[in-house]
Amino acid sequence: MKNIINSLAIIMALCFLGSFESKAQANSSQTQNPYYSRTDTSKLNVSNAEWKKILKPSVYEVARLKGTERAFTGKYWDSDVKGTYYCAVCGNELFRSDAKFSSTCGWPSFFETVRKNSVLYKVDNSHGMHRTEVLCARCDSHLGHIFDDGPAPNHKRFCMNSNVLDFQPFNQAKNSIKTKSNIK
């Protein structure tokens, strides 16, 4: 019995150390993206080749190649935690949870942005559809699309991809840097 307890203690210690090491590696990888800032709102002009070196492939696919994550698979589609959503590519502040609503579409949905100039809009006639694409105003990354079937008063639904969003709960310090999972 004593051997089993000792073995469990060793396994738990190794798991803890592995978790600590993973978090340390993730935090140090944040420095690989020199363009990420939650305070700088200046326009970025970065090539896709440079973004490809910096971003995790799943983020690059959506943000730079205008891909879409599968419905009901993103980490934020059904989250009701209170906080702020940022662009996972550059850190631009985009949405607050008080503008998030359950649309049952399978992606996080918001009825308004944090500020009028946090996103850009572009006509998207791809895939045989006529839609309006939503881009990050700071880095021009694809975030999702906007539709006119949201709640009152504006009836807008910003249908966003979770993997191009970073989230910081309101209960964390405002200036703390969240561990990024968007960087290689």
Side-chain angles (χ1 to χ4, degrees):
M1 182 68 153
K2 189 174 181 179
N3 287 342
I4 293 172
I5 293 172
N6 286 340
S7 296
L8 287 173
I10 290 169
I11 290 169
M12 289 174 59
L14 290 173
C15 288
F16 174 77
L17 289 174
S19 173
F20 178 77
E21 185 177 304
S22 296
K23 288 178 183 175
Q25 287 171 348
N27 283 332
S28 68
S29 70
Q30 174 58 35
T31 61
Q32 293 177 14
N33 186 347
Y35 308 107
Y36 192 94
S37 173
R38 291 188 176 171
T39 56
D40 185 358
T41 58
S42 62
K43 184 74 172 172
L44 294 172
N45 187 15
V46 180
S47 70
N48 276 352
E50 179 69 13
W51 285 126
K52 191 169 189 171
K53 293 177 191 174
I54 297 169
L55 300 174
K56 186 176 169 182
S58 61
V59 174
Y60 181 82
E61 170 68 28
V62 173
R64 308 311 303 174
L65 301 180
K66 303 179 186 298
T68 301
E69 66 192 14
R70 286 188 336 237
F72 305 103
T73 64
K75 58 188 167 186
Y76 303 126
W77 79 269
D78 65 347
S79 173
D80 60 1
V81 178
K82 302 299 180 201
T84 305
Y85 293 85
Y86 299 86
C87 175
V89 175
C90 71
N92 186 29
E93 187 177 18
L94 300 170
F95 303 99
R96 292 213 176 90
S97 59
D98 57 3
K100 189 173 187 290
F101 66 98
S102 177
S103 68
T104 68
C105 69
W107 290 276
S109 297
F110 304 88
F111 61 82
E112 67 183 359
T113 58
V114 167
R115 57 187 189 284
K116 190 174 187 174
N117 61 350
S118 62
V119 299
L120 302 172
Y121 304 97
K122 185 178 176 184
V123 173
D124 177 4
N125 291 317
S126 65
H127 307 291
M129 295 181 272
H130 179 73
R131 302 177 291 178
T132 302
E133 178 184 13
V134 178
L135 303 164
C136 174
R138 183 164 185 252
C139 68
D140 292 325
S141 286
H142 172 77
L143 302 170
H145 292 87
I146 186 171
F147 302 96
D148 292 325
D149 59 1
N154 64 3
H155 303 285
K156 299 298 180 192
R157 175 173 54 99
F158 289 83
C159 185
M160 304 291 100
N161 290 282
S162 288
N163 66 351
V164 291
L165 298 176
D166 273 339
F167 179 75
Q168 182 174 339
F170 285 146
N171 62 353
Q172 288 185 356
K174 183 160 176 82
N175 294 324
S176 70
I177 295 178
K178 183 176 175 282
T179 302
K180 301 292 169 274
S181 58
N182 60 328
I183 302 171
K184 287 184 179 176

